[in-house]
Amino acid sequence: MKPLTRLVAIVGPTASGKSTLGIRLAKRLGGEVVVCDSTQVYRHFDIGTAKVPLAAQQGIPHHLVDLVEPTEVFTAGEYRRRAIEVLEQIRERGRMPILTVGTGLYLRALLEGLADAPGRSEELRARLRKSAEQSGPEYLHRMLARLDPLAAKRIAARDTQKTIRAIEICLLARKTVTEVHQAGRPGLPEFEAVKVGLQPPREELYRRIELRVEAMVQAGWLEEIGRLTALAVPETAKPFEFIGYSELLRHLRGELPLKQAVQEIQQATRRYAKRQMTWFRKEPNVEWFAGLGDEDGVLKAVLLHLRGKGITR
């Protein structure tokens, strides 16, 4: 049996400096960065998803970025499969995996495994979406309540996407979602995760978010969207639903002044950061640090904590 390999997972809200801290830790610990983010897996969507440019990676390999085309479906299960392959390769090189985690579900899928749920049925989903359009999302939610009352209690009545997936699981697995999720799940038995979290003061985080959105626009975010439309990426592609892309598309169509679009992006990003923190606070065994990832004091404190866990270089 192989000995356990340590990996470091950095969690925290957007704009808290996870990418910067990941690079700094990788340089100190002989590591490689493994990106754990559901937006950065898509090719061509670079600025708005905050991918670290090659020139800023400081020679540190970054994995699990630019995996699929914008029109492809990518799931947490697929992320887990690819991440395990990458982790094995990093271990074989004698390097340390440093995960920078923006998507808590992907981290959970990797470390804890996923329930053996049935795959997607586009035919069934199309029928359910049509029902929602004709009768409203509450109709689907009532259907779910009949199939799985516990799942219906956890899912908001107007969250059509989650409701459809829950109904899909019930009908295809012939079990409730609750039963499927309670089934045994494979974890990550050959790796041991040491989790650290960044929790900067809210005022400072929000200031960073506002500045970063403005910097993204100045860096050519609008031009990037122009290139995407020139490549004939359909506006129905999943990445165009990401924060910022939908607002800037409305601006380019003449529906929204740029200043208002930027303000809406900043507001949506603040709300997203809040949702991330709600998720990550429920993540077990996270050692939290009250600062930003580019602060020297935070780096020193994290290294001291990791040293106490036996992670040194």
Side-chain angles (χ1 to χ4, degrees), residues 12 65 67 74 80 97 111 120 149 157 162 164 192 201-202 212 224 244 248 252 261 264 276 310:
V65 176
L67 301 179
F74 194 85
R80 172 182 164 84
L111 299 183
R120 295 162 59 100
K162 289 183 180 179
I164 286 177
E192 180 182 357
R202 180 180 298 180
R212 188 166 79 162
E224 176 179 282
L248 292 179
L252 290 173
E264 290 190 9
Q276 284 178 301

Side-chain angles (χ1 to χ4, degrees), residues 89-159:
Q89 294 164 5
I90 293 174
R91 171 161 59 183
E92 290 173 3
R93 289 192 288 272
R95 309 283 285 174
M96 174 165 291
I98 310 289
L99 273 67
T100 54
V101 186
T103 303
L105 176 62
Y106 278 19
L107 179 66
R108 185 171 298 175
L110 176 61
L111 299 183
E112 301 179 13
L114 291 167
D116 187 20
R120 295 162 59 100
S121 168
E122 296 303 331
E123 180 183 356
L124 175 57
R125 283 171 172 251
R127 293 204 306 268
L128 292 173
R129 281 193 293 266
K130 186 174 181 180
S131 295
E133 291 170 1
Q134 293 176 341
S135 305
E138 292 83 1
Y139 171 79
L140 289 186
H141 199 264
R142 290 194 296 271
M143 181 189 301
L144 176 61
R146 292 193 296 271
L147 294 168
D148 187 348
L150 290 178
K153 288 181 179 179
R154 294 194 301 267
I155 298 173
R158 299 191 65 81
D159 193 336

Side-chain angles (χ1 to χ4, degrees), residues 43-234:
R43 301 185 188 112
H44 315 303
F45 286 74
D46 302 329
I47 295 175
T49 61
K51 293 176 186 172
V52 180
L54 182 61
Q57 293 177 9
Q58 302 182 43
I60 300 298
H62 280 58
H63 303 279
L64 300 183
V65 176
D66 294 335
L67 301 179
V68 295
E69 293 299 324
T71 52
E72 294 182 63
V73 174
F74 194 85
T75 65
E78 179 65 11
Y79 178 84
R80 172 182 164 84
R81 185 186 69 78
R82 296 202 188 204
I84 290 174
E85 292 178 357
V86 167
L87 291 176
E88 291 289 354
Q89 294 164 5
I90 293 174
R91 171 161 59 183
E92 290 173 3
R93 289 192 288 272
R95 309 283 285 174
M96 174 165 291
I98 310 289
L99 273 67
T100 54
V101 186
T103 303
L105 176 62
Y106 278 19
L107 179 66
R108 185 171 298 175
L110 176 61
L111 299 183
E112 301 179 13
L114 291 167
D116 187 20
R120 295 162 59 100
S121 168
E122 296 303 331
E123 180 183 356
L124 175 57
R125 283 171 172 251
R127 293 204 306 268
L128 292 173
R129 281 193 293 266
K130 186 174 181 180
S131 295
E133 291 170 1
Q134 293 176 341
S135 305
E138 292 83 1
Y139 171 79
L140 289 186
H141 199 264
R142 290 194 296 271
M143 181 189 301
L144 176 61
R146 292 193 296 271
L147 294 168
D148 187 348
L150 290 178
K153 288 181 179 179
R154 294 194 301 267
I155 298 173
R158 299 191 65 81
D159 193 336
T160 304
Q161 182 176 344
K162 289 183 180 179
T163 301
I164 286 177
R165 177 55 180 161
I167 294 173
E168 180 181 45
I169 291 173
C170 290
L171 295 179
L172 296 181
R174 298 187 178 182
K175 299 178 182 178
T176 66
V177 178
T178 306
E179 289 171 330
V180 171
H181 286 173
Q182 286 176 346
R185 300 183 297 178
L188 196 64
E190 296 181 355
F191 292 85
E192 180 182 357
V194 177
K195 291 177 270 190
V196 298
L198 295 174
Q199 192 174 17
R202 180 180 298 180
E203 296 76 13
E204 177 63 17
L205 178 66
Y206 286 0
R207 187 184 72 84
R208 288 269 292 242
I209 286 172
E210 291 180 2
L211 291 175
R212 188 166 79 162
V213 171
E214 293 170 0
M216 285 175 168
V217 175
Q218 294 172 3
W221 199 354
L222 283 166
E223 290 77 7
E224 176 179 282
I225 294 175
R227 290 192 298 272
L228 289 167
T229 55
L231 290 170
V233 177

